[in-house]
Amino acid sequence: MNKRKFLKVSGLAGVGVVATPLVSTLIGCGNAPVKESESDTSPSPGFTLPELGYAYEALEPAVDRATMRIHHEKHHAGYVRKLNAALDGHTLNGASLEPLLAAIGPDDTALRNNGGGHFNHALFWKVIAPATPGDNETDPLLDARIDKAFGSRANMLDALAGQAGQRFGSGWAWLVQRADDPETLFVCSTPNQDNPLMTGIVAPELQGRPILGIDVWEHAYYLNYQNRRTDYVAALLDRINWSAVSALMA
Ligand code: MN3
């Protein structure tokens, strides 16, 4: 391995042990810390496609059954498969997903696109889950943080929809806890499958822990909405599972 990668992997050895594993609660994935002496030969963690936890038609009419099925069975499954393939023999093989995302450099295209794709979609399925009784009860801590940053939940949703609408081409809009101040929330968008956990890729002011993400790739809405991204985002923002968002706060 080259010196730059070696330093990054070395720095992660402890992180994998102590970091709060956001994604390990979302996804059945490996948690083994990177071992620099074994990382070239240890087996792939074998990231797996998480279950939705609800039926493909459960979000209709906001998101249609066919879109949900293709999005989960084809698109997300493809990211998982290509992520595992990209990790075969890679120095980051064995890392859990969050430290892996933090260590990716801008030129490591396969890990960047597929590691991001796996994380982003696993988060997405959680936060857009259809509401069941009790799911959408107000969480005082989340509400307080939203009010502090945006004035109200409606203002935050407007800002998030604005980020989704302004993203040129494919990408995501996020509600994020600041990396250097987790009690402070902000909204942003990132292109393609990037996300705010990619400290080696996204700008410092965009770094943090996403607790809500909106997929604005055309594959997320085109069957039902064609070019009407604004209508899709508005419908989706009515289907947020606020209990899940609260649970993702650090
Ligand atoms: Mn997608």
Side-chain angles (χ1 to χ4, degrees):
M1 81 179 69
N2 66 39
K3 186 178 179 187
R4 185 167 142 270
K5 275 188 176 169
F6 176 82
L7 290 173
K8 283 193 169 184
V9 172
S10 301
L12 280 173
V15 174
V17 176
V18 300
T20 305
L22 167 61
V23 170
S24 65
T25 63
L26 294 171
I27 312 159
C29 67
N31 279 319
V34 174
K35 294 174 184 166
E36 49 194 78
S37 60
E38 299 174 17
S39 57
D40 288 338
T41 54
S42 58
S44 162
F47 290 107
T48 55
L49 182 68
E51 297 290 330
L52 282 186
Y54 46 86
Y56 287 129
E57 61 269 26
L59 288 161
E60 290 188 340
V63 187
D64 62 283
R65 183 185 192 284
T67 295
M68 288 296 290
R69 185 182 62 76
I70 295 167
H71 204 170
H72 182 252
E73 284 183 359
K74 304 298 182 186
H75 291 281
H76 190 176
Y79 294 124
V80 172
R81 185 177 66 252
K82 292 172 190 172
L83 170 60
N84 288 331
L87 283 168
D88 188 19
H90 196 284
T91 54
L92 287 169
N93 192 356
S96 54
L97 190 51
E98 281 188 65
L100 187 153
L101 294 176
I104 296 169
D107 298 329
D108 203 339
T109 307
L111 283 192
R112 179 179 181 174
N113 291 341
N114 297 298
H118 178 36
F119 177 93
N120 297 348
H121 287 87
L123 177 69
F124 187 57
W125 310 136
K126 283 283 183 187
V127 299
I128 64 168
T132 55
D135 265 353
N136 271 357
E137 287 175 6
T138 303
D139 179 88
L141 181 60
L142 175 62
D143 282 350
R145 290 179 180 178
I146 287 174
D147 288 349
K148 184 182 171 196
F150 302 96
S152 68
R153 183 183 290 184
N155 287 351
M156 185 277 288
L157 291 173
D158 283 348
L160 188 62
Q163 291 291 330
Q166 291 161 23
R167 169 51 47 196
F168 180 77
S170 299
W172 291 74
W174 304 104
L175 176 65
V176 188
Q177 294 183 313
R178 287 187 63 92
D180 55 357
D181 178 12
E183 293 186 7
T184 297
L185 303 178
F186 66 97
V187 295
C188 69
S189 78
T190 52
N192 303 316
Q193 296 295 354
D194 291 354
N195 69 48
L197 290 166
M198 294 179 175
T199 55
I201 294 172
V202 299
E205 65 270 21
L206 302 186
Q207 291 175 14
R209 172 179 293 253
I211 60 173
L212 171 55
I214 301 297
D215 188 343
V216 293
W217 283 59
E218 285 187 345
H219 68 225
Y221 62 87
Y222 208 84
L223 284 181
N224 205 23
Y225 293 90
Q226 293 81 51
N227 61 319
R228 292 175 287 116
R229 181 190 284 188
T230 302
D231 293 347
Y232 153 75
V233 170
L236 204 61
L237 291 180
D238 269 342
R239 306 303 298 268
I240 300 301
N241 184 328
W242 294 105
S243 294
V245 177
S246 300
L248 290 169
M249 284 194 299

